[in-house]
Amino acid sequence: MNKISLKIGLLFFLAICILEGISMLLLHNNIIHSRVHEELSALQTRGNNHRDVLEASFQEDTVMHIAMMEARTDTQVVLTRPDGSIYMSSNKVTDEMKRIMKSKPKRVPHEGAILEEDWKQAANIASVSPVIINQKIAGYVYMFQTTQKIKDLISGLNQHFLLASLLSLIFMIIIIIFLTRVVTLPLIKMSEATKRISKGDLSVSLPKLAKDEIGDLGEAIKVLANDLEMLKNERNEFLASISHELRTPLTYIKGYADIARRKDTNSEDKDNYLEIIHEESVKLSKLVKELFHLAKLDENSFSIEKKEVQLLPYFQTIIEKVAPAFRENKMTILLECRDHLYARIDPTRFEQVILNLLDNARKYSEPNTKIIVSVHQVNGKVHIKIQDEGKGIPESDLPRIFERFYRVDKSRTRSLGGSGLGLSIVKQLVEAHGGTIQVTSSPNAGTTFDIFL
Ligand code: ADP
C-alpha cells in the first residue's frame, strides 16, 4: 500500500475506533447499570411483599410458608428479630450475609433499603425491609440474591459486544480500504503523470475525474502538460528557425568572400562582393540584435519605465527621424494628433514599436502612397493607428504575422532585410505596456495596425 492511503486509512481507522469505543463503552455501562438496577429493585419488592404478608399475620405458619417459598429459588430470605438475632432463614446464612446484615442502618424506611449492590465483589446483593406492627419494629426481612446470575448475564452481554465490535471492525477496515482507494487512486495517477512529465513524456492522459479539488488538480496537470508540450515545440521551431536564419546570410558571406579572394577576380567585382558581404553582415547583426532583444523580453529581465508623455511632440520627433527614408521612397507620411494628449509609456521602448511599424509600412508599400499615423483618445484609452496603402497581407496570413520568423513572402521580404521578428517584438512591447495591438488588412489596398493603451 502506498503512503498517502496508509495515512488516510490509519487516520480514519483511529477516529472511528475512538468513536466506536466510546459509544460501545457508554452503551455497555448503561445496559449493565439498568440490569443491576432492575435486579436490585426486584429483590427489594420481593422483600417488601414478604414483609407485607408478615405485617398482615406474623405467625409461625406464615414464616414457615415464606421460608419454603424462598428455599427453591436463587434468592434467600432471612427474618430477624428487632435485636438482629435470626428468627428464620430459608437457607444457610453465610458469614458474608451476617456482615451485610450488620451493615443495616439504624433506621430503615418502610419501603426498605438496598444493603449490598456491589455485584462485582460480593457473592450476594441484598435488601432489607422492616416489619412494622402497631408502629413498632417487629423484625426485619433480609433478601439475598447470588450475584452469579448477574455475572453470567454480563459475561453473555460482553460476548455479544465483543462479537459486534469484531464485526464492525472488519466492516470498517473493508470500507476504509475502499474509501482510501477512491480518494487516493486519482492522486497516485496524478503523481505518476507528473513524474512522467518531468521525464519529458508530455502525452499524459488522466482518467476522467470528479468535479472537485482533486478534479481541478488533474485539470491543472493536463493544462500544464499541454503548455509544456507547446513550449517545447515552440522552442524547437524557434531554434530551427534561428539556425536557418543565421545560415542564409552566413552562406552568402562565405560564398562571396571565397569569390572575392580568388586571384582572377577584378577589383570592380571584388568591391561589389565586399558590398554584398557588408550588407549581409549588417542584416546578420540586426538579426542577432533582435534575437537578443527577444530573449530579454522573454526573460522579463527588461523593465518598462513608464512616464507621462505628451504625444504630439513625441510622435513629431519620431516622424522627423523616419521622414528622410520615406522621402527617398517617394512616400508621404502624415500625423494626426491633437495637442495636450498624454499617455503613460516608456518613451524609448514605445518608440521602437512605432519605428518597427513605420518601417514595415515603408517596406511593404509602393512609391506615391501615403502613410497616416493618427492618435486619438477613445473612452479613456489612447488609440494609435498606423495605416498604409501598401500591398496588404492576405487574410490567411493575418493570424500568424505576430509569430516569430513569420513572413508572408519569404523571398521578397528577405531581400528587404526582414527577419520576421519585428512584429513579435512589437506585440511583446505593447503587451508589456498593458496594451493591445490588432491588425486589419486587405491585399493591394493597405494595412492598418491599431494599438490601444
Ligand atoms: P519583417 O522583419 O519580415 O518585416 P515582421 O515581423 O515585422 O517581420 O513582419 C512579419 C510579416 O508581416 C512581414 O514579413 C510582412 O510579410 C508582413 N507585414 C508586416 N507589416 C506589413 C505591412 N504594413 N504591410 C504588408 N505586410 C506587412
Side-chain angles (χ1 to χ4, degrees):
M1 222 206 252
N2 37 68
K3 283 183 214 143
I4 180 141
S5 56
L6 195 71
K7 263 191 221 165
I8 295 183
L10 274 178
L11 224 69
F12 265 158
F13 185 74
L14 223 74
I16 296 181
C17 266
I18 291 173
L19 265 176
E20 197 182 287
I22 291 175
S23 52
M24 283 268 197
L25 212 73
L26 284 176
L27 189 67
H28 184 258
N29 281 351
N30 252 331
I31 291 177
I32 289 176
H33 184 261
S34 69
R35 280 304 294 153
V36 171
H37 185 75
E38 256 172 45
E39 292 289 324
L40 284 169
S41 62
L43 193 68
Q44 193 178 340
T45 313
R46 205 173 168 89
N48 285 349
N49 287 344
H50 293 324
R51 188 266 325 274
D52 292 346
V53 174
L54 285 172
E55 281 180 353
S57 108
F58 202 135
Q59 280 168 8
E60 192 71 26
D61 282 7
T62 326
V63 172
M64 287 313 289
H65 185 76
I66 290 171
M68 264 164 60
M69 261 174 70
E70 290 299 337
R72 291 200 187 148
T73 59
D74 57 353
T75 50
Q76 179 176 345
V77 63
V78 178
L79 182 63
T80 65
R81 300 188 185 85
D83 63 1
S85 59
I86 295 171
Y87 184 72
M88 168 283 280
S89 167
S90 59
N91 291 81
K92 191 176 168 294
V93 179
T94 62
D95 289 345
E96 195 201 55
M97 288 176 181
K98 283 182 191 153
R99 181 187 56 74
I100 292 173
M101 278 153 65
K102 274 200 193 113
S103 73
K104 171 187 79 67
K106 256 205 152 47
R107 295 176 66 82
V108 183
H110 192 238
E111 72 270 15
I114 302 294
L115 285 185
E116 179 62 85
E117 55 180 8
D118 184 0
W119 60 272
K120 277 186 201 153
Q121 303 290 329
N124 291 284
I125 51 170
S127 73
V128 62
S129 317
V131 184
I132 301 172
I133 298 171
N134 298 330
Q135 276 147 32
K136 271 180 74 182
I137 300 281
Y140 292 97
V141 176
Y142 290 92
M143 290 299 299
F144 294 94
Q145 181 185 323
T146 96
T147 50
Q148 198 51 48
K149 194 179 143 198
I150 300 178
K151 279 176 186 154
D152 289 348
L153 190 119
I154 282 161
S155 89
L157 194 77
N158 284 350
Q159 269 172 17
H160 279 132
F161 264 87
L162 205 72
L163 194 73
S165 308
L166 266 175
L167 277 180
S168 58
L169 212 72
I170 293 170
F171 196 60
M172 192 163 82
I173 290 173
I174 293 173
I175 288 184
I176 284 173
I177 290 175
F178 177 73
L179 267 183
T180 44
R181 292 232 141 225
V182 169
V183 174
T184 57
L185 208 68
L187 287 178
I188 295 160
K189 285 248 154 69
M190 279 183 239
S191 130
E192 280 165 3
T194 47
K195 270 182 207 147
R196 282 215 311 276
I197 292 173
S198 74
K199 281 194 189 123
D201 174 10
L202 297 175
S203 61
V204 289
S205 68
L206 286 166
K208 216 163 167 43
L209 296 165
K211 272 201 183 303
D212 53 15
E213 288 82 351
I214 292 182
D216 289 349
L217 184 62
E219 270 311 306
I221 290 176
K222 268 192 233 169
V223 171
L224 201 68
N226 283 344
D227 286 357
L228 271 175
E229 173 109 62
M230 247 168 61
L231 268 175
K232 207 171 118 182
N233 291 342
E234 224 172 69
R235 191 191 59 188
N236 289 346
E237 262 173 42
F238 187 54
L239 283 176
S241 313
I242 289 179
S243 55
H244 179 253
E245 294 300 324
L246 291 176
R247 208 177 312 126
T248 322
L250 282 175
T251 318
Y252 276 102
I253 291 173
K254 185 174 170 293
Y256 283 108
D258 280 347
I259 310 173
R261 267 195 333 189
R262 276 197 216 141
K263 294 246 160 33
D264 57 347
T265 314
N266 63 41
S267 68
E268 198 185 322
D269 283 347
K270 231 178 228 178
D271 284 348
N272 243 337
Y273 298 148
L274 278 178
E275 186 55 39
I276 297 174
I277 291 173
H278 179 256
E279 258 172 41
E280 287 299 322
S281 20
V282 168
K283 272 186 211 166
L284 202 59
S285 68
K286 186 182 163 220
L287 178 68
V288 171
K289 213 167 93 185
E290 280 180 339
L291 276 176
F292 186 65
H293 197 118
L294 260 183
K296 273 213 301 207
L297 282 173
D298 269 356
E299 250 179 49
N300 279 336
S301 63
F302 76 109
S303 57
I304 292 274
E305 278 163 34
K306 283 193 198 174
K307 286 203 272 216
E308 197 77 4
V309 173
Q310 198 187 344
L311 296 174
L312 181 61
Y314 179 71
F315 276 96
Q316 274 169 339
T317 320
I318 296 179
I319 284 170
E320 265 164 36
K321 232 185 240 181
V322 296
F326 279 84
R327 228 175 287 134
E328 206 173 290
N329 286 286
K330 299 198 176 64
M331 294 171 193
T332 333
I333 180 159
L334 300 171
L335 174 66
E336 273 175 27
C337 179
R338 69 171 171 80
D339 211 357
H340 300 298
L341 200 58
Y342 293 87
R344 279 190 65 77
I345 50 172
D346 182 326
T348 342
R349 303 215 186 260
F350 202 74
E351 182 179 302
Q352 195 179 356
V353 170
I354 305 299
L355 285 179
N356 271 356
L357 291 176
L358 287 179
D359 196 37
N360 277 350
R362 183 182 55 78
K363 275 193 299 192
Y364 304 112
S365 297
E366 300 301 321
N368 304 318
T369 55
K370 62 177 183 294
I371 286 106
I372 305 171
V373 179
S374 56
V375 186
H376 297 282
Q377 190 152 28
V378 190
N379 298 331
K381 277 187 176 175
V382 172
H383 176 194
I384 299 155
K385 186 149 114 174
I386 295 176
Q387 199 176 359
D388 65 41
E389 298 170 344
K391 65 198 216 67
I393 303 165
E395 207 176 323
S396 56
D397 292 297
L398 272 183
R400 297 196 58 190
I401 58 157
F402 291 106
E403 284 175 22
R404 289 166 189 185
F405 296 116
Y406 193 80
R407 286 171 297 200
V408 176
D409 179 353
K410 288 212 188 277
S411 53
R412 210 184 103 79
T413 36
R414 229 201 80 77
S415 68
L416 289 168
S419 63
L421 289 177
L423 284 182
S424 72
I425 293 175
V426 163
K427 189 168 159 75
Q428 289 222 32
L429 279 176
V430 169
E431 283 170 1
H433 275 85
T436 52
I437 179 161
Q438 290 164 4
V439 58
T440 42
S441 181
S442 46
N444 299 322
T447 306
T448 307
F449 285 92
D450 293 284
I451 298 174
F452 295 93
L453 288 176

